[in-house]
């Protein structure tokens, strides 16, 4: 196992301490979440999961982890998810696995969000990981042109055969190579105002706790703003 995978596994296993019997648990997507699912199945804690992708649903079926549709529950206690990048404020970029839309819906409906990452994901500012933007296929070329004009260096995500990748919800993903996102809030506001953009991979003020694998596992909590505490 590579160092990175070992750290993912350490973070995933450390997340088990936040899972209590009878919880409704949001289950993210990606290789780190796969380690979490395996640990969860082994621990045999009686929970029900709400998944964020077909891949995660499939993995749950293989591991006999019971899942329900998001609209069958009235709350989600905690969601465990990975991230592509996380900064010092616990804001992050997600969507490397093309599941950002469902991941954000599950996260926004969760009482607590915990991210599990390896050390390579932690950066002072966001942007070294290309920002995924999920768009409606119709007119995606117009958005692409707009992003190019803004200097976002967009790239349409494609499958191995060259066709555009289609998300679980039937959309395309444009990855924007921004390098350094100085003001993620302003960028999020701009993207949310563009017709045809379904969702973007900036997850701001969402993660409550990040667990970072490493020689010693580090757990950081987000400091909530006054408005959030009210
Ligand atoms: C999927 C995601 C994943 O959480 C993110 O890509 C991290 O994946 P991995 O755990 O494989 O590094 O956002 O849309």
């Amino acid at each position: 196992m590579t160092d990175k995978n070992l750290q993912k596994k350490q973070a995933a296993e450390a997340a088990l301490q936040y899972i209590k019997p009878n919880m409704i648990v949001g289950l993210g997507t990606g290789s780190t979440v796969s380690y979490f699912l395996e640990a969860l199945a082994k621990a045999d804690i009686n929970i029900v999961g709400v998944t964020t992708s077909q891949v995660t649903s499939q993995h749950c079926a293989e591991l006999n982890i019971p899942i329900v549709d998001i609209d069958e529950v009235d709350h989600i206690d905690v969601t465990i998810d990975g991230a592509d990048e996380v900064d010092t404020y616990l804001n992050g970029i997600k969507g490397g696995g093309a599941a950002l839309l469902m991941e954000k819906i599950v996260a926004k409906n969760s009482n607590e969000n915990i991210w599990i990452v390896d050390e390579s994901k932690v950066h002072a500012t966001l942007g070294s990981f290309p920002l995924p933007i999920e768009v409606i296929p119709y007119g995606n070329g117009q958005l692409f042109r707009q992003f190019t004009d803004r200097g976002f260096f967009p790239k349409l995500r494609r499958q191995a055969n060259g066709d555009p990748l289609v998300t679980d919800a039937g959309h395309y993903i444009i990855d924007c190579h921004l390098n350094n996102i100085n003001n993620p809030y302003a960028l999020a506001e701009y993207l949310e105002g563009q017709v045809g953009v379904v969702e973007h991979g900036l997850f701001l003020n969402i993660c409550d706790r990040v667990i970072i694998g490493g020689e010693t596992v580090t757990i950081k909590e987000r400091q909530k703003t006054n408005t959030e505490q009210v």
Side-chain angles (χ1 to χ4, degrees):
M1 189 180 282
T2 63
D3 272 7
K4 223 184 234 190
N5 283 339
L6 183 62
Q7 290 179 6
K8 288 179 181 199
K9 192 164 182 279
Q10 288 167 332
E13 288 171 356
L16 272 187
Q17 65 188 288
Y18 299 101
I19 309 299
K20 308 289 175 220
N22 305 317
M23 274 187 162
I24 301 171
V25 182
L27 301 169
T29 296
S31 56
T32 321
V33 167
S34 288
Y35 285 122
F36 175 72
L37 296 178
E38 280 156 23
L40 184 63
K42 211 164 152 196
D44 202 19
I45 307 170
N46 180 35
I47 61 103
V48 64
V50 173
T51 59
T52 54
S53 63
Q54 289 170 10
V55 171
T56 297
S57 298
Q58 177 62 37
H59 200 179
C60 285
E62 287 160 14
L63 294 168
N64 288 321
I65 296 172
I67 58 169
V68 286
D69 185 89
I70 187 169
D71 288 327
E72 284 177 38
V73 296
D74 60 3
H75 74 283
I76 298 168
D77 291 295
V78 60
T79 286
I80 309 292
D81 203 349
D84 296 301
E85 218 179 352
V86 56
D87 72 9
T88 39
Y89 303 99
L90 272 55
N91 287 328
I93 289 182
K94 287 183 48 54
L100 65 145
L101 175 60
M102 292 183 200
E103 287 174 335
K104 204 177 270 187
I105 292 171
V106 170
K108 288 278 189 180
N109 286 287
S110 298
N111 295 341
E112 185 176 10
N113 283 285
I114 300 176
W115 287 355
I116 45 179
V117 298
D118 64 86
E119 282 170 344
S120 73
K121 307 280 182 69
V122 184
H123 296 140
T125 51
L126 302 175
S128 50
F129 191 89
L131 177 67
I133 302 173
E134 185 155 346
V135 302
I136 298 280
Y138 182 82
N140 78 88
Q142 299 302 327
L143 278 171
F144 192 94
R145 203 187 327 269
Q146 190 181 315
F147 295 159
T148 304
D149 292 347
R150 286 194 157 246
F152 287 0
F153 299 97
K155 203 165 175 218
L156 185 66
R157 201 180 295 185
R158 294 183 185 276
Q159 307 173 50
N161 68 3
D163 290 345
L165 179 139
V166 179
T167 66
D168 283 357
H171 306 130
Y172 290 173
I173 288 187
I174 298 177
D175 292 303
C176 289
H177 296 249
L178 299 162
N179 258 329
N180 197 346
I181 302 175
N182 290 322
N183 189 341
Y185 295 95
L187 178 59
E189 197 181 336
Y190 158 74
L191 291 170
E192 284 156 18
Q194 304 314 304
V195 65
V197 169
V198 180
E199 196 45 83
H200 56 79
L202 283 168
F203 280 51
L204 309 178
N205 299 332
I206 287 180
C207 175
D208 299 294
R209 205 185 299 263
V210 64
I211 305 178
I212 308 159
E215 213 158 284
T216 53
V217 171
T218 309
I219 302 181
K220 290 185 185 167
E221 279 182 43
R222 182 168 64 91
Q223 304 304 316
K224 295 209 166 74
T225 60
N226 288 340
T227 9
E228 281 180 283
Q229 278 163 352
V230 174

